[in-house]
Amino acid sequence: MKIGNTSFNVEAIKNMTFSEFEKIYKGKYKGNPSLKEVFKKLGGKVVNKIAKKDNTEDK
Amino acid sequence: MSFCSCSGSKNTGLRGGLKPFKDVKLHFAVPLFKADGTRNSILSTETVDQTFLDAKINNADVTQRWYPIGKFKNVTDERADPSTETFNDGSSQITIQGVRTFTGLLLDYPPEYITNLQKHACDRFGVYEVDSCGNLRGVKNSTETQLYPIEINKGYFEPRLVKAVAGTNAERLQLTFEFDQNEFDNNLLMISCDDITADLLNSSGLIDVNATNLTSVSTTGFTFTQETAYNYFGQSVLAEGWVLADYTLTNNTTASTIVITSVTEAPNGTYEFVIPAQTSSDILSITGIKDGLELITFEFSTP
């Protein structure tokens, strides 16, 4: 899937946590939507850390 | 196969309506053998339409790809007189057929194009001929179920630069080659242009794209710029608009395909790759094809 000037392998992104995604693409992605929106669009699951008692993320 | 076979019919009748093959305008250079050792051919059951042709020209497997060369000008394609043995009584006997030699001119091709032409002669290869009407000709097999490319003598395949002469001729490339001595004219057979819907005469081969400025190489990514071949000195024409699906990345050390995570083009013509972590010092190679362009395979090592 192409978002902005980046074409992603959706299957590979699905296996990442948002933290992993953010670590790679923060500062690199030049698209208009936020990094979190891009992650969602690619099928990644964003979990609100505050809502989780153990402060972890799901994949 | 022999030109002196004595078995079979000697009838000399010919049905009407057969069109002759006309002057050669274009060749499709084709390797004789695929990577698996079988011969490249056109099957009698196949239809030469645009889909068929595009698949041949853009084939990712270079051992099955068709390479259009042409259009040619001033073509000569003649077989020399046979070699003979002369006896004391003055009579002669043919010992071997003469060599068939092709010569044609290619206008508006740069001298560096010679390099790519020469590379065809690195392996056994042949050509399908296309005439000015769009008929395609090759060599039939014994059962006429397959049409093979006509084998070239790879020891005599010579592209050369012919420089311009003021008032007489423009600069051009001249291609001269010999057909293989085991190719006999009576085995040539054509597919009529009436049965071909592909635009053979206006087909064009893939253009080389070279990777330059390889930077930021790590075990999880790398960046390079893509430039098309055949430019003026100091000039570069970037290959833009490529996406992840256009590339094939291989880890040569582990002999495995790497599934690329993402490709970002920024600025235009420069591509940043993100890949799953590889082992340090592995050798990676990347290639790609898009819209008539081919990224020439290049290798690099992870740090």
Side-chain angles (χ1 to χ4, degrees):
Chain A
M1 183 186 287
K2 192 169 185 195
I3 300 176
N5 54 358
T6 303
S7 49
F8 293 95
N9 179 333
V10 175
E11 291 306 311
I13 303 299
K14 275 181 182 171
N15 292 324
M16 286 184 190
T17 63
F18 180 68
S19 297
E20 290 167 336
F21 185 79
E22 191 177 33
K23 197 176 166 188
I24 297 170
Y25 295 102
K26 194 175 184 181
K28 291 180 182 176
Y29 185 68
K30 309 286 193 298
N32 201 26
S34 71
L35 207 53
K36 199 163 274 188
E37 285 172 332
V38 172
F39 186 63
K40 277 183 190 172
K41 227 177 210 181
L42 293 168
K45 290 176 186 169
V46 182
V47 174
N48 188 339
K49 289 182 183 181
I50 298 165
K52 291 198 64 146
K53 286 178 182 173
D54 60 359
N55 203 29
T56 58
E57 292 182 85
D58 291 335
K59 280 196 173 180
Chain B
M1 226 172 286
S2 165
F3 63 92
C4 58
S5 173
C6 295
S7 62
S9 171
K10 290 185 279 191
N11 291 333
T12 54
L14 187 67
R15 79 174 175 85
L18 287 177
K19 295 181 299 183
F21 195 80
K22 297 189 183 296
D23 53 312
V24 171
K25 284 291 179 192
L26 184 136
H27 284 143
F28 288 107
V30 182
L32 285 196
F33 299 100
K34 302 174 191 173
D36 64 7
T38 58
R39 287 190 72 166
N40 281 309
S41 67
I42 303 170
L43 302 177
S44 57
T45 52
E46 289 179 309
T47 303
V48 184
D49 55 18
Q50 199 60 45
T51 304
F52 173 91
L53 180 63
D54 290 345
K56 294 295 184 187
I57 292 174
N58 293 287
N59 200 315
D61 182 348
V62 295
T63 69
Q64 298 185 49
R65 188 179 299 166
W66 288 19
Y67 300 86
I69 303 173
K71 299 174 183 174
F72 291 109
K73 297 276 190 189
N74 292 10
V75 169
T76 60
D77 186 342
E78 294 173 348
R79 188 174 289 285
D81 291 337
S83 298
T84 58
E85 179 184 6
T86 304
F87 300 100
N88 289 342
D89 64 0
S91 65
S92 302
Q93 177 173 289
I94 293 174
T95 54
I96 190 168
Q97 70 172 348
V99 173
R100 177 171 287 284
T101 304
F102 171 93
T103 299
L105 301 178
L106 296 166
L107 306 185
D108 303 324
Y109 284 76
E112 59 180 328
Y113 192 76
I114 291 172
T115 308
N116 278 25
L117 288 178
Q118 286 172 328
K119 286 176 188 168
H120 286 281
C122 293
D123 296 300
R124 288 179 68 186
F125 79 106
V127 294
Y128 289 113
E129 301 174 320
V130 180
D131 73 7
S132 52
C133 286
N135 299 304
L136 183 147
R137 189 160 70 178
V139 177
K140 65 183 180 181
N141 69 347
S142 58
T143 54
E144 294 193 16
T145 52
Q146 294 185 73
L147 198 65
Y148 300 128
I150 313 162
E151 185 169 2
I152 305 303
N153 168 14
K154 70 186 187 77
Y156 196 140
F157 184 81
E158 195 227 358
R160 76 167 72 156
L161 176 68
V162 179
K163 292 191 175 178
V165 176
T168 305
N169 63 268
E171 185 167 291
R172 76 280 304 270
L173 298 186
Q174 176 181 294
L175 179 62
T176 303
F177 62 79
E178 291 180 358
F179 287 96
D180 188 84
Q181 266 295 63
N182 290 317
E183 296 290 17
F184 298 97
D185 296 343
N186 49 310
N187 290 325
L188 295 174
L189 195 61
M190 76 177 194
I191 302 174
S192 168
C193 60
D194 296 334
D195 298 323
I196 297 172
T197 54
D199 188 0
L200 302 181
L201 286 168
N202 288 311
S203 58
S204 131
L206 296 178
I207 298 170
D208 285 354
V209 170
N210 299 306
T212 60
N213 300 327
L214 179 66
T215 57
S216 308
V217 181
S218 70
T219 54
T220 58
F222 52 91
T223 299
F224 62 80
T225 301
Q226 294 184 166
E227 296 179 0
T228 58
Y230 309 124
N231 300 308
Y232 297 117
F233 181 69
Q235 182 198 59
S236 63
V237 176
L238 301 173
E240 302 174 4
W242 289 46
V243 296
L244 186 148
D246 300 324
Y247 297 97
T248 303
L249 179 65
T250 306
N251 185 321
N252 293 351
T253 306
T254 59
S256 58
T257 301
I258 300 170
V259 179
I260 301 166
T261 305
S262 70
V263 179
T264 302
E265 183 180 9
N268 288 356
T270 295
Y271 298 86
E272 179 184 355
F273 289 74
V274 173
I275 60 173
Q278 304 296 303
T279 307
S280 199
S281 300
D282 277 1
I283 303 295
L284 311 187
S285 69
I286 188 162
T287 186
I289 289 183
K290 181 184 179 66
D291 297 338
L293 304 174
E294 181 181 31
L295 174 64
I296 300 306
T297 305
F298 75 97
E299 290 185 351
F300 56 95
S301 174
T302 55

